[in-house]
Amino acid sequence: MNTQPRASHFINGAYVEDEAGVPLDVLNPATGAVIATLHEATPAIVDAALAAATVAQKAWARLMPVERARVLRRASDMIRDRNAELSRLETLDTGKPIQETEVADWPSGADALEYFAGLAPTVTGETVPLGADFAYSLREPLGVCVGIGAWNYPSQIACWKAAPALAMGNAMVFKPSEVTPLGALKLAEILMEAGAPAGLFNVVQGRGGVGAQLVTDARVAKVSLTGSVPTGRKVYAAAAEGIRHVTMELGGKSPLIVFGDADIDSAVGAAMLGNFYSAGQICSNGTRVFVHRSIKEAFLARLKTRAEAIIMGDPLDPATQMGPLVSPEQHAKVMAYVEQAKADGARLITGGGASGAFVQPTVFADVTDGMTLACEEVFGPVMAVLDFEDEDEVVARANATEFGLAAGVFTADLTRAHRVVAALQAGTCWINAYNLTPVESSFGGVKLSGVGRENGKAAIEHYTQLKSVYVGMGPVDAPY
Ligand code: NDP
């Protein structure tokens, strides 16, 4: 497979290169081999992308919503038709197993394009009766939006941001993570082929500095970031300078609470999905698994057996269930957390080792709230199991974190499930399930995990602004 794109950037409907930009080698995480070499965007490239988006947005916003929808729906169909080839590229770029990327990455992106294509023609304002006069509201696009992506779901993130933005009449300049820059270029190609006008969706490559240039440009109306809390703070502050709209999808340290009456096999399965899928590199992971003392040892025994059966290996092999971490830096960071957990006295149930770029699925039990493993986002396949005794106690401990992205509850008692979910401080909760993020349901965090929402009808509000229009029907009654 040819993994070298025709050029580094996609601007105004075409691939563009500027070799003056700092070279960026793209590595296959499983082997370390260089699979593409790109160049960081120079200021001239950033300027060209924003200029193209500014022009394209005006004409795009004037189209009928069904016309915009048609383009997005076509793009969604094309992604589904090309899923095999796109997923292979995603696997080479991220190291995630092909059995995951074929069902979870581009397919979720296609869902977003299809969903927001369906919503676009339904978005209307309201009429406000005011006696003889009346007012009405219009939901208008924001203008040029900047999307900045993390490396864990690069193509899904690009689609989740582009779909609502474009559906509502905005244009976008997207900067992927420099670690995983390839998928967004494919999305740009596909949107063009589907009939999007040149300049509507542009991709510029680069590290944080390129993102910073985009965020502070006067032409930009909105910034949507998926990334870590420290980056979120910087981007939010930079956007505030120009009073720009923001969506911040940041990190988490989410609780997954397993009560004594839970179906243990389902709870174990969910805890594994919420810690080992994508080698644990998922923001909403349930990385603090609170297990009721009455079932703790049974839970750990089943977890150990199933974790040790996980098949690791070549991500392109359809049998592989877990791949490497995305980069040597991430690998080093995760292994440091493993060593810290050992030093802090957590009980290693399984894993704890590494081989090459891979980290074994790892479970620590007897983790206590103050340990580093229970407080910081690891972003690797490392599960922390904590015990609890009663409901009030576990809710208080689950909420005792600065994050608030997600939370899960496993119990057979429906009343308790809803009571606990109501008390949890998290933007996305699951009952007897974990980490399912269908595009129909909104997703996002509270507290340090972010502001704004992606997906669902809520995303519409984050890519539009309201204009109120007062209509006077009679003579003006002025007191002078
Ligand atoms: P980072 O925060 O390091 O980077 C996110 C993006 O921001 C990258 O494209 C990065 O560029 C860019 N960036 C960095 N500095 C700046 C800056 N000053 N101005 C503008 N852009 C900048 O996150 P990672 O890529 O390491 O991703 C992992 C993090 O993402 C985790 O914390 C995870 O929880 C979070 N995440 C959140 C999700 C959510 O929906 N809530 C989903 C997925 C991940 P570059 O990488 O090239 O430096």
Side-chain angles (χ1 to χ4, degrees):
M1 174 174 215
N2 180 18
T3 47
Q4 175 69 42
R6 263 180 277 151
S8 300
H9 320 287
F10 196 98
I11 297 171
N12 209 18
Y15 275 99
V16 179
E17 193 57 89
D18 181 351
E19 291 185 356
V22 179
L24 276 180
D25 279 342
V26 185
L27 307 182
N28 173 345
T31 61
V34 176
I35 58 170
T37 301
L38 308 179
H39 293 271
E40 271 203 78
T42 54
I45 286 285
V46 170
D47 180 61
L50 289 168
T54 304
V55 172
Q57 191 269 328
K58 290 188 172 55
W60 177 248
R62 280 196 295 268
L63 291 183
M64 297 282 284
V66 287
E67 293 176 297
R68 295 200 298 264
R70 210 168 290 141
V71 172
L72 301 189
R73 198 169 302 112
R74 242 184 257 133
S76 145
D77 289 345
M78 287 163 63
I79 289 172
R80 291 214 173 82
D81 289 346
R82 298 176 195 177
N83 187 42
E85 172 203 339
L86 291 168
S87 300
R88 210 178 142 78
L89 185 66
E90 192 79 343
T91 283
L92 292 168
D93 204 12
T94 63
K96 298 198 289 181
I98 192 84
Q99 63 161 251
E100 285 189 19
T101 52
E102 279 191 345
V103 298
D105 291 74
W106 279 104
S108 159
D111 285 353
L113 289 159
E114 188 177 5
Y115 176 78
F116 286 105
L119 270 188
T122 72
V123 175
T124 57
E126 61 178 0
T127 309
V128 185
L130 300 166
D133 292 353
F134 66 98
Y136 64 92
S137 63
L138 296 168
R139 219 163 237 295
E140 297 185 332
L142 301 172
V144 174
C145 301
V146 163
I148 301 178
W151 42 255
N152 62 339
Y153 277 83
S155 300
Q156 183 197 80
I157 290 171
C159 291
W160 280 19
K161 294 189 189 310
L166 304 191
M168 293 303 114
N170 303 284
M172 181 164 270
V173 177
F174 187 81
K175 189 202 83 67
S177 164
E178 112 254 359
V179 180
T180 53
L182 303 180
L185 291 170
K186 288 290 168 196
L187 176 62
E189 269 183 44
I190 287 170
L191 281 165
M192 276 295 294
E193 222 181 308
L200 189 68
F201 181 76
N202 308 274
V203 177
V204 298
Q205 307 290 354
R207 298 183 175 82
V210 171
Q213 275 180 60
L214 288 167
V215 171
T216 47
D217 193 283
R219 289 165 285 191
V220 172
K222 172 180 177 126
V223 180
S224 176
L225 169 81
T226 297
S228 61
V229 171
T231 302
R233 279 205 177 94
K234 283 189 227 160
V235 173
Y236 204 166
E241 194 65 32
I243 319 289
R244 297 190 173 86
H245 296 253
V246 293
T247 296
M248 295 280 142
E249 294 289 354
L250 309 177
K253 191 72 202 175
S254 302
L256 169 55
I257 304 172
V258 183
F259 284 96
D261 61 353
D263 176 315
I264 296 189
D265 281 322
S266 287
V268 167
M272 293 176 74
L273 280 169
N275 280 274
F276 301 146
Y277 207 70
S278 293
Q281 303 165 115
I282 300 184
C283 51
S284 51
N285 271 354
T287 48
R288 289 182 295 146
V289 183
F290 291 93
V291 181
H292 192 263
R293 241 169 237 138
S294 61
I295 56 164
K296 176 181 149 188
E297 291 309 325
F299 182 93
L300 288 173
R302 289 188 214 190
L303 180 58
K304 176 175 162 65
T305 307
R306 287 174 65 176
E308 286 173 359
I310 287 178
I311 301 167
M312 299 175 76
D314 176 2
L316 287 173
D317 181 340
T320 294
Q321 295 172 319
M322 210 168 110
L325 294 188
V326 76
S327 64
E329 292 75 24
Q330 190 61 18
H331 188 274
K333 190 181 142 200
V334 170
M335 288 312 291
Y337 278 115
V338 168
E339 293 313 315
Q340 180 73 44
K342 289 179 188 165
D344 286 346
R347 172 161 58 114
L348 183 63
I349 301 294
T350 186
S355 147
F358 295 72
V359 172
Q360 289 175 330
T362 298
V363 177
F364 284 101
D366 303 340
V367 176
T368 54
D369 296 346
M371 288 184 190
T372 305
L373 188 61
C375 301
E376 295 182 16
E377 187 180 44
V378 176
F379 236 56
V382 185
M383 188 192 305
V385 178
L386 304 92
D387 342 330
F388 74 95
E389 199 53 58
D390 74 71
E391 185 182 312
D392 287 347
E393 168 217 333
V394 77
V395 168
R397 290 169 61 202
N399 285 338
T401 165
E402 55 190 7
F403 297 110
L405 189 56
V409 179
F410 270 79
T411 177
D413 178 344
L414 274 184
T415 315
R416 172 158 60 195
H418 293 293
R419 188 171 60 233
V420 169
V421 157
L424 288 171
Q425 297 165 350
T428 308
C429 294
W430 292 275
I431 295 174
N432 295 333
Y434 205 81
N435 257 0
L436 300 175
T437 53
V439 68
E440 295 88 341
S441 187
S442 68
F443 179 81
V446 300
K447 294 156 77 179
L448 289 193
S449 292
V451 291
R453 290 291 176 269
E454 298 200 297
N455 292 340
K457 289 188 196 139
I460 299 292
E461 283 163 33
H462 298 288
Y463 283 100
T464 54
Q465 56 198 347
L466 270 185
K467 177 182 278 173
S468 295
V469 183
Y470 186 105
V471 182
M473 298 293 287
V476 173
D477 180 16
Y480 354 89

